[in-house]
Amino acid sequence: MVTSIVFPLWQYWAHWADLEWHLRRVALGRVVILAVSVDGLVGLRHATLLLTRLGSLLAPHLPPQSCWVWVFVKGGRTLTETALTTSRGTHQVHLLLPLIDTLLPATHARMYPGRNAALEDVRWRYCSRHGVMGGLCDEHSPDPLPPPPTARVAQQSVLARVPVVVTAGTRQPYLYHTLTTILTAPGVEPQNVLVVLGDESQSTVQLLLLLQVAHVMLPAGGATNEQLFRFYRDVFQLVVQRFPDAPYVIILDEDVEVSPDFFSFMSQTLPLLQTDPSLSCVTGHAAEGFLGLAHDNTRAFRGSLQVEWGYGVTLDFVREALSLWKTTGQITLLYDFWLYINVQKDRECIFPEVSRTRHFGMGVNTDSYLKEKGPVLMPLVHQAPVALQNVHRLRLDKWQEDLARNISRATTLQGSPCLDSFLPTPPFSPSYVFYYRLTKAECCDGMPEPYQYSNAVRCLGLWWLSEQGHHRGVTVARFASNATLFLVGCPYSPYCRLRPTGLLLWDIDALTEEEFEYLKTYSPRGSTSVTIANEHANPDSINAMLSEI
């Protein structure tokens, strides 16, 4: 059976990572056919290194407008490789490729004595039709089926009646990876895991039977965002109907990898949702953990944040959302942003400094540029369990008390955040505070002015396309392992009362024309310039390269 996946490599950002992710999960001995046509391979980028290690001669040398075909055996040899250095013209490749099954499923089952022979037979019949499943179909060291029991965590009782709902479609490589990270994480209650399928697929059902994971089919009508919006509304309805007495529910998508510490983190933080009405969710996704600002596994924060990837909410929150969920009218918003605007409102989310989840997949609503700038680079906590610091201090009253004290004790920074000398290197104080002008947005009730916020933070290398993650106008940035920066927007934030008398606010609207022009061309800290590999390659340079081999 042939597995076909399309990677839009005419886009420069992120799709190289998805190609690489899939290539690493192709089973050894499988025949791989890579064909690049129409728009060339400008987005091949870092995947070139893996392709070279796999045996490609041409991949590292082709110009971005090339058409290219490479047929090879994973872990074996090249069968054919050919290219045109321009996308103009016709590119034809002819290859006679007789295929046989070297090992039948029954033979595989006999290779692993002591395992469930019937389950192994089902596994290898499944693997004979799917070649991009990583350890599931690794003939030399296959993943155990079902996944073995994991260790318990200290607050295991919190998770006892908490359903873990994984929404999924037909992307089986994604789903298998996600479920593997879930089922092998300490603290998981396997009987609580439920996969909700939005698309009917016998192969996906067979995969879930192999993993012994419960599933339910919940097809939704519509297309693209409309379909997704209806689907997640129906998932919320299913949760209420199926788990009416659950204290919380944890919801993940099929392309969200979890850290080994995911359930430990959830078990320590979920109880806050019952005792603090100013909170609406706990998310395992770090608000800005992909920007080199994640240093301490034991720290968690609270802030204005949508549910993100891999989150927990109370059943009361689910019921509240359902009471507001519209079945007619405008339903094409992203459902998580709709929750943020219409249901969460002024309530905040708990999130870790170092992420417990990573969104690795590419989908309908995935902007490739934003994906590479964010989730692709997200570091994860790899050990478990991790005891969090002062979880009880995340309650609103304690958090406000601590934040006010820390801001008042911090060293005040002045000047332009766009200057390289703005942040002390190395830091000479454990904490700094920077006050800048920030008002309420005219368009959105209670939200900060995005133009002012984005220009204040982008020079510091923070995420400038969304203000989410701040607590009442204060953004906390750990710019070094031993130094914290508090950015306080005035007069928006109530913490402006701590500003020293007479201290001027940095104001984007007060910049001179020369300063503003500099800001527009400034490259934020941590950013990299775009370079196109082999931009000037041509047939002569490629022939010269091949003649030297």
Side-chain angles (χ1 to χ4, degrees):
M1 183 174 179
V2 176
T3 300
S4 176
I5 306 174
V6 177
F7 304 94
L9 294 181
W10 58 268
Q11 296 185 38
Y12 183 81
W13 305 102
H15 291 283
W16 64 267
D18 196 36
L19 169 62
E20 188 175 87
W21 189 93
H22 282 84
L23 280 175
R24 292 186 184 280
R25 284 158 179 79
V26 174
L28 292 176
R30 297 299 178 102
V31 175
V32 181
I33 302 173
L34 293 176
V36 178
S37 60
V38 184
D39 292 299
L41 39 68
V42 66
L44 193 60
R45 293 179 55 207
H46 303 303
T48 303
L49 299 176
L50 175 59
L51 293 168
T52 303
R53 288 196 294 270
L54 290 173
S56 171
L57 290 177
L58 298 180
H61 306 283
L62 292 173
Q65 70 273 17
S66 298
C67 290
W68 169 60
V69 174
W70 181 33
V71 184
F72 67 102
V73 178
K74 176 77 178 287
R77 63 188 181 90
T78 292
L79 301 177
T80 187
E81 185 173 15
T82 180
L84 292 176
T85 57
T86 175
S87 57
R88 295 184 298 273
T90 301
H91 190 200
Q92 296 180 336
V93 177
H94 300 278
L95 177 66
L96 182 61
L97 189 64
L99 300 177
I100 60 171
D101 287 325
T102 56
L103 288 176
L104 298 175
T107 307
H108 280 96
R110 291 195 298 270
M111 290 173 60
Y112 307 103
R115 296 191 180 186
N116 185 317
L119 194 60
E120 290 299 315
D121 181 69
V122 174
R123 179 215 293 260
W124 297 112
R125 290 187 186 280
Y126 175 89
C127 289
S128 68
R129 300 187 298 274
H130 303 276
V132 194
M133 298 302 297
L136 178 68
C137 299
D138 185 335
E139 294 184 359
H140 302 283
S141 181
D143 294 342
L145 286 178
T150 65
R152 306 291 83 184
V153 296
Q155 288 90 345
Q156 189 68 42
S157 60
V158 173
L159 303 169
R161 295 187 298 113
V162 179
V164 179
V165 175
V166 181
T167 61
T170 58
R171 300 181 297 178
Q172 294 162 49
Y174 284 171
L175 179 59
Y176 179 71
H177 181 68
T178 290
L179 288 177
T180 299
T181 63
I182 291 172
L183 295 172
T184 58
V188 64
E189 301 272 1
Q191 72 280 3
N192 291 352
V193 178
L194 175 68
V195 174
V196 182
L197 297 175
D199 295 287
E200 295 188 24
S201 168
Q202 188 58 41
S203 293
T204 306
V205 171
Q206 189 176 33
L207 173 64
L208 296 174
L209 292 175
L210 278 171
L211 293 171
Q212 298 184 13
V213 172
H215 72 276
V216 63
M217 198 75 67
L218 199 63
T224 59
N225 275 334
E226 179 183 355
Q227 181 181 21
L228 291 174
F229 198 86
R230 292 181 185 275
F231 175 65
Y232 284 106
R233 180 201 63 199
D234 294 346
V235 169
F236 271 41
Q237 186 66 56
L238 175 71
V239 167
V240 169
Q241 294 171 349
R242 190 156 180 157
F243 311 104
D245 299 322
Y248 323 98
V249 59
I250 294 172
I251 298 179
L252 300 117
D253 291 327
E254 66 183 354
D255 55 356
V256 175
E257 173 185 1
V258 307
S259 157
D261 189 56
F262 177 75
F263 290 106
S264 174
F265 177 81
M266 285 290 174
S267 71
Q268 295 175 72
T269 53
L270 282 174
L272 290 168
L273 301 182
Q274 300 283 8
T275 59
D276 187 346
S278 68
L279 292 172
S280 62
C281 64
V282 172
T283 177
H285 190 78
E288 291 183 330
F290 49 84
L291 296 170
L293 307 175
H295 302 282
D296 191 342
N297 295 347
T298 69
R299 291 193 62 175
F301 301 90
R302 61 177 293 155
S304 178
L305 189 72
Q306 65 191 58
V307 291
E308 299 285 357
W309 295 289
Y311 63 92
V313 293
T314 65
L315 265 288
D316 287 340
F317 179 87
V318 174
R319 294 186 181 96
E320 183 181 351
L322 287 170
S323 70
L324 297 172
W325 219 305
K326 305 296 183 182
T327 56
T328 58
Q330 177 65 27
I331 58 174
T332 57
L333 284 172
L334 303 182
Y335 97 98
D336 45 3
F337 188 68
W338 180 88
L339 290 175
Y340 177 66
I341 296 297
N342 295 281
V343 187
Q344 292 179 243
K345 296 183 178 178
D346 293 331
R347 288 177 290 185
E348 296 183 323
C349 243
I350 299 295
F351 59 92
E353 178 171 324
V354 187
S355 195
R356 268 62 171 185
T357 64
R358 179 192 289 123
H359 179 232
F360 62 87
M362 303 294 290
V364 172
N365 292 308
T366 305
D367 182 290
S368 59
Y369 172 77
L370 298 182
K371 184 62 176 286
E372 180 157 335
K373 291 297 184 180
V376 166
L377 304 176
M378 179 67 75
L380 285 182
V381 173
H382 292 292
Q383 64 267 38
V386 175
L388 300 176
Q389 294 181 32
N390 301 319
V391 174
H392 67 287
R393 306 295 299 186
L394 291 167
R395 288 176 51 95
L396 181 60
D397 55 345
K398 302 298 183 183
W399 182 261
Q400 290 176 323
E401 177 184 321
D402 292 346
L403 187 59
R405 181 178 62 254
N406 291 333
I407 291 174
S408 64
R409 293 178 178 177
T411 300
T412 302
L413 295 176
Q414 294 181 267
S416 172
C418 293
L419 297 177
D420 290 333
S421 58
F422 178 74
L423 292 176
T425 306
F428 57 83
S429 174
S431 59
Y432 298 87
V433 59
F434 174 60
Y435 294 92
Y436 68 101
R437 180 170 176 77
L438 182 65
T439 59
K440 288 185 178 180
E442 294 181 1
C443 65
C444 311
D445 182 34
M447 290 190 175
E449 170 54 51
Y451 175 76
Q452 293 172 331
Y453 177 84
S454 63
N455 281 287
V457 304
R458 66 185 295 269
C459 289
L460 293 167
L462 303 181
W463 189 246
W464 69 97
L465 295 179
S466 170
E467 82 290 346
Q468 292 187 31
H470 74 92
H471 166 74
R472 302 190 177 181
V474 177
T475 300
V476 183
R478 294 288 304 281
F479 71 92
S481 60
N482 60 345
T484 300
L485 173 64
F486 302 98
L487 292 94
V488 183
C490 299
Y492 180 87
S493 174
Y495 296 91
C496 291
R497 70 183 187 276
L498 303 173
R499 177 165 60 113
T501 303
L503 179 70
L504 295 177
L505 298 175
W506 185 81
D507 185 356
I508 180 63
D509 294 322
L511 296 185
T512 66
E513 184 175 344
E514 181 181 358
E515 290 172 326
F516 189 73
E517 287 300 316
Y518 170 78
L519 180 61
K520 287 197 300 184
T521 60
Y522 179 78
S523 179
R525 291 175 180 83
S527 65
T528 55
S529 59
V530 174
T531 57
I532 307 296
N534 303 327
E535 183 176 6
H536 303 294
N538 55 52
D540 291 338
S541 64
I542 295 175
N543 287 332
M545 177 275 300
L546 292 174
S547 67
E548 296 175 358
I549 297 177

